[in-house]
Amino acid sequence: MKRRSAGQTCAMLGMLLALALLCGYIESLIPISFGVPGIKLGLPNLVVVITLYLLGPKEALVVSVARILLSGFLYGTMFGVVYGLAGGIFSFFIMLLLKQGAQCSPVTVSAAGGITHNLGQLLVAVLVENRNLLYYLPVLFFAGFLTGLLIGIVSREVLLRLRLSK
């Protein structure tokens, strides 16, 4: 991997953060209702997975956490930030373990990230709101797997094209 200056890295992170925010905003405009609260496509995770593979874990964590905080403050609520951080941080560390430890592909890493993002948010909801929300676990598990798989496939294709263009 080519060495970047601090300025280049900062500029790249700024662009990736802006892209992740844009993906989150676009996702909020998509009028798809899955019938279960909290299920989303996970478009911002596309940027996090690409950043994880392209730049590294520190940079991907910065993009993920900054995106969650900024989106929460711009479009959401404080509870949204808490749920987002719970899911985002939990899924990030699972994705990092799979990428570095097991050296999994972006598709596998993203699918696991989708599942664990939903799991992290569900655990917070159960602790804060109601234990009966655990009934959503099978649906959220399947939805996280499916959306994570789709985001992983797109991530893999983007990474392939970015590497070929160098």
Side-chain angles (χ1 to χ4, degrees):
M1 178 160 58
K2 185 180 145 190
R3 207 73 191 151
R4 291 180 177 83
S5 72
Q8 288 173 318
T9 301
C10 187
M12 177 80 79
L13 287 174
M15 288 190 295
L16 290 166
L17 175 57
L19 186 58
L21 284 166
L22 182 62
C23 285
Y25 181 71
I26 289 169
E27 181 176 75
S28 73
L29 298 176
I30 298 173
I32 298 174
S33 175
F34 293 101
V36 176
I39 295 179
K40 296 180 184 176
L41 291 173
L43 293 178
N45 201 43
L46 174 66
V47 179
V48 174
V49 172
I50 290 169
T51 305
L52 182 62
Y53 278 85
L54 205 57
L55 298 178
K58 288 185 293 189
E59 293 83 356
L61 183 60
V62 166
V63 169
S64 180
V65 171
R67 194 260 327 155
I68 292 166
L69 290 172
L70 287 172
S71 341
F73 293 132
L74 289 171
Y75 321 118
T77 64
M78 196 54 168
F79 275 119
V81 171
V82 171
Y83 285 114
L85 285 173
I89 291 172
F90 186 41
S91 68
F92 173 79
F93 284 108
I94 296 301
M95 291 191 300
L96 180 61
L97 284 172
L98 288 174
K99 179 193 177 281
Q100 290 185 334
Q103 296 185 351
C104 294
S105 75
V107 177
T108 304
V109 166
S110 180
I115 292 167
T116 53
H117 186 91
N118 286 349
L119 183 59
Q121 289 188 330
L122 182 62
L123 290 175
V124 169
V126 166
L127 291 173
V128 171
E129 295 179 34
N130 186 341
R131 280 187 320 186
N132 291 331
L133 293 172
L134 280 174
Y135 291 117
Y136 284 131
L137 183 60
V139 174
L140 291 174
F141 185 92
F142 178 74
F145 173 74
L146 186 61
T147 58
L149 192 66
L150 292 172
I151 293 300
I153 291 168
V154 174
S155 298
R156 180 189 64 202
E157 294 303 314
V158 169
L159 287 165
L160 180 66
R161 281 155 181 75
L162 285 174
R163 290 187 177 125
L164 289 176
S165 70
K166 289 184 179 179

